[in-house]
Amino acid sequence: MKRVRNTLHAFPLRSIALATCFATASGLAWAQEQNPATEKLLEGIQNGERVEITLPDPEKQLPLDDLRKFTEVFSRIKDAYVEEVDDRQLLESAIKGMLSDLDPHSTYLAPKDYEDLEESTSGEFGGLGIEVGMENGFVKVIAPIDDTPAQKAGVQAGDLIIKLNEKPVKGMSLEEAVQLMRGKPGTILTLTIMREGETGPIEIKVERDIIKVTSVKSRMLENGYGYVRITQFQADTGSQFRDALKELENKHGGNLDGLVIDLRNNPGGVLQAAVETADVLLDEGLIVYTEGRIQSSRLRFSATEGDVMEGTPIVVLINGGSASASEILAGALQDHERAVIMGTKSFGKGSVQTVIPLDENHAIKMTTARYYTPNGRSIQATGIKPDIEVRPAELKELDSKPFFTEADLTGHLKGKNEKKQDQEAPAPDDTASLAEQDYQLRSALNLLKGIHILNPQDKAKAQGSGQ
């Protein structure tokens, strides 16, 4: 195809014809306000000056043949499809296909979808309680949400849903699958899933319920060691996280000796909430930045002065269900060397979606940017790699019988603190059972204890603040 030159030189004798051609070719209405560049161009033409116009590159314009093909397909469907199809339905389907073919996270939001999105970010909605995406035409579970029907029924991160009741998922859009998963509380939905390590499909029955997500949960693991679980990033997660830390310090009576932040199976949520959570623990510096094609998608978020934990050692737990905003928080703390990241590699969703309203009831959710950690790492499709890899494991006590010791010998030499130690034998601690049952959490707690033992300055600071 012969390439058309993209510049045109105009001379005084052709000024009237050129002005007319320029107006019609560009598609501008002269009644509209002209931009400064256009005004300068017309002024030059009127003054008889030599002007240069840059015409659109033909190869970058909408191809006319493809537009004809679209209208031809539209017409054939209208005329020959087995059932009559409404024009509006066809156009909406075209829009959905145009967006869904870009990436798994871009989509068209009809009125009900728009409403569901607002509910999920507010923390209360109906359904099963799982964050899902599409993979090879099937619905993939990114993560089950804590204390929801899906988690209680045994749905796991990484499960591939192939059937919803008796309906195959293959060929459905993500929106259609989500609509089937939602329903009246108390009704049963059977999920047929494929799971790594299993030889065949598994059926899991899940009872739908109203999903109320508690974003932040906290407790003491042992004296001096706190635990905060963030299940999902909602609008007020940052303030809830700050309040949880204050509550833990009040229980301890001063600065904590260590903190575990659990982001496992946290599918993400509101970007700003992850930024506010990181800001609680960072004293300065960049938290995350985004890069996109339009100016509004190029953002930078930095920490404000003040680390509320004052340098307390932190371990962050992540796994394959940790995605999006979870990766922003983990990546920022890792790059600033503010926390040790432990667990397994995260999901790898490093893109930002923007909801763009089309009218009062319709919108599109479109990927507009990639986000980067403070050191410039893109997480998209690569995820956060933990500093210390710890895979899930079952804990089993091997030494069930007590050892025979010096104190058991008849006539042994009495120790100075022997009776005192017997009197101070610790009672069983119910709060410690969480770490005893969770190998990754136990590993995090042991690491914090080791850091505390080897860092006497932090130990003295904690003791001083508790007096």
Side-chain angles (χ1 to χ4, degrees):
M1 183 176 68
K2 185 177 180 181
R3 184 179 179 86
V4 180
R5 295 182 63 187
N6 64 349
T7 57
L8 179 66
H9 298 288
F11 295 91
L13 293 177
R14 302 179 186 172
S15 60
I16 297 176
L18 179 60
T20 305
C21 178
F22 181 77
T24 55
S26 64
L28 292 174
W30 288 105
Q32 295 179 349
E33 183 180 352
Q34 297 169 6
N35 61 47
T38 304
E39 292 179 354
K40 184 176 180 180
L41 175 64
L42 294 177
E43 185 179 347
I45 293 174
Q46 292 171 358
N47 294 336
E49 299 173 359
R50 178 188 177 96
V51 297
E52 185 176 288
I53 303 172
T54 301
L55 298 177
D57 186 342
E59 293 184 2
K60 294 182 179 180
Q61 304 307 300
L62 281 173
L64 192 58
D65 288 343
D66 289 344
L67 287 175
R68 288 196 184 102
K69 189 186 301 180
F70 175 82
T71 56
E72 178 69 16
V73 171
F74 189 94
S75 177
R76 292 294 177 92
I77 294 173
K78 287 286 296 178
D79 294 340
Y81 186 65
V82 65
E83 295 179 355
E84 188 174 349
V85 185
D86 181 71
D87 286 351
R88 178 175 295 177
Q89 181 184 342
L90 274 178
L91 288 172
E92 285 202 353
S93 297
I95 295 171
K96 289 178 180 177
M98 188 162 45
L99 286 161
S100 63
D101 199 46
L102 295 174
D103 62 66
H105 309 293
S106 295
T107 184
Y108 173 71
L109 299 175
K112 185 66 170 66
D113 302 320
Y114 204 178
E115 180 183 334
D116 292 342
L117 181 66
E118 292 176 339
E119 287 177 354
S120 65
T121 56
S122 67
E124 182 174 334
F125 53 96
L128 308 179
I130 51 176
E131 181 78 11
V132 294
M134 293 297 290
E135 183 175 289
N136 299 325
F138 296 105
V139 175
K140 184 173 183 178
V141 178
I142 298 174
I145 302 170
D146 284 2
D147 301 323
T148 60
Q151 188 206 42
K152 294 173 183 177
V155 177
Q156 298 179 11
D159 285 348
L160 210 61
I161 301 174
I162 60 175
K163 279 186 181 180
L164 295 168
N165 284 335
E166 295 302 318
K167 294 185 178 181
V169 170
K170 190 73 171 178
M172 288 186 188
S173 68
L174 184 59
E175 294 72 32
E176 291 169 336
V178 169
Q179 286 302 320
L180 284 176
M181 286 187 276
R182 293 180 182 271
K184 186 178 180 181
T187 57
I188 303 294
L189 178 68
T190 300
L191 306 178
T192 304
I193 65 172
M194 296 296 294
R195 180 178 294 168
E196 187 176 355
E198 298 290 340
T199 57
I202 304 172
E203 287 191 358
I204 299 178
K205 295 184 183 297
V206 186
E207 183 177 345
R208 297 183 180 94
D209 199 357
I210 298 297
I211 309 301
K212 296 181 180 179
V213 180
T214 302
S215 178
V216 179
K217 304 175 183 178
S218 63
R219 65 186 298 178
M220 294 297 294
L221 293 174
E222 292 183 10
N223 186 32
Y225 296 94
Y227 170 83
V228 176
R229 164 76 178 150
I230 304 177
T231 60
Q232 186 180 26
F233 286 92
Q234 300 167 5
D236 55 354
T237 298
S239 59
Q240 289 183 17
F241 179 70
R242 185 185 294 270
D243 292 341
L245 296 182
K246 289 180 180 178
E247 184 179 348
L248 290 173
E249 289 183 336
N250 290 337
K251 287 181 180 179
H252 179 53
N255 290 344
L256 297 176
D257 298 328
L259 174 69
V260 178
I261 301 175
D262 192 349
L263 299 178
R264 291 173 297 177
N265 294 329
N266 181 325
V270 181
L271 170 66
Q272 186 63 37
V275 170
E276 291 173 0
T277 304
D279 191 15
V280 172
L281 301 171
L282 296 175
D283 197 41
E284 61 179 358
L286 192 61
I287 294 174
V288 65
Y289 67 94
T290 63
E291 289 287 346
R293 293 175 59 209
I294 58 176
Q295 186 61 39
S296 61
S297 66
R298 299 168 195 159
L299 305 172
R300 297 176 72 87
F301 300 91
S302 297
T304 56
E305 186 176 354
D307 171 6
V308 300
M309 297 295 288
E310 299 182 2
T312 295
I314 299 172
V315 173
V316 176
L317 290 175
I318 62 171
N319 66 0
S322 307
S324 191
S326 298
E327 295 170 296
I328 290 175
L329 176 58
L333 297 180
Q334 187 177 50
D335 282 5
H336 283 282
E337 299 181 355
R338 182 62 188 88
V340 176
I341 310 301
M342 181 180 285
T344 55
K345 191 174 74 169
S346 63
F347 183 76
K349 182 183 178 295
S351 59
V352 179
Q353 281 69 46
T354 302
V355 177
I356 304 172
L358 302 177
D359 54 39
E360 292 182 356
N361 300 314
H362 300 80
I364 59 173
K365 185 178 72 169
M366 186 168 59
T367 301
T368 54
R370 298 173 187 263
Y371 66 73
Y372 297 83
T373 70
N375 288 349
R377 293 183 294 156
S378 172
I379 299 167
Q380 178 60 28
T382 59
I384 295 289
K385 184 178 179 181
D387 300 308
I388 302 174
E389 183 175 2
V390 179
R391 295 186 174 276
E394 292 184 2
L395 290 172
K396 182 179 180 181
E397 293 289 345
L398 298 178
D399 298 322
S400 56
K401 296 181 179 180
F403 282 99
F404 189 78
T405 68
E406 171 74 14
D408 297 316
L409 295 174
T410 303
H412 69 272
L413 184 65
K414 295 291 183 181
K416 291 182 179 180
N417 299 320
E418 184 176 342
K419 291 184 179 180
K420 184 177 180 181
Q421 288 177 350
D422 291 341
Q423 294 171 355
E424 295 179 354
D429 185 2
D430 292 337
T431 61
S433 62
L434 183 65
E436 290 174 358
Q437 298 169 6
D438 186 332
Y439 178 66
Q440 291 175 313
L441 180 55
R442 186 171 181 175
S443 299
L445 179 59
N446 287 336
L447 177 60
L448 288 172
K449 288 180 177 178
I451 293 173
H452 182 60
I453 291 170
L454 295 175
N455 197 334
Q457 292 181 350
D458 285 348
K459 186 175 181 180
K461 181 182 71 173
Q463 290 174 346
S465 62
Q467 295 176 352

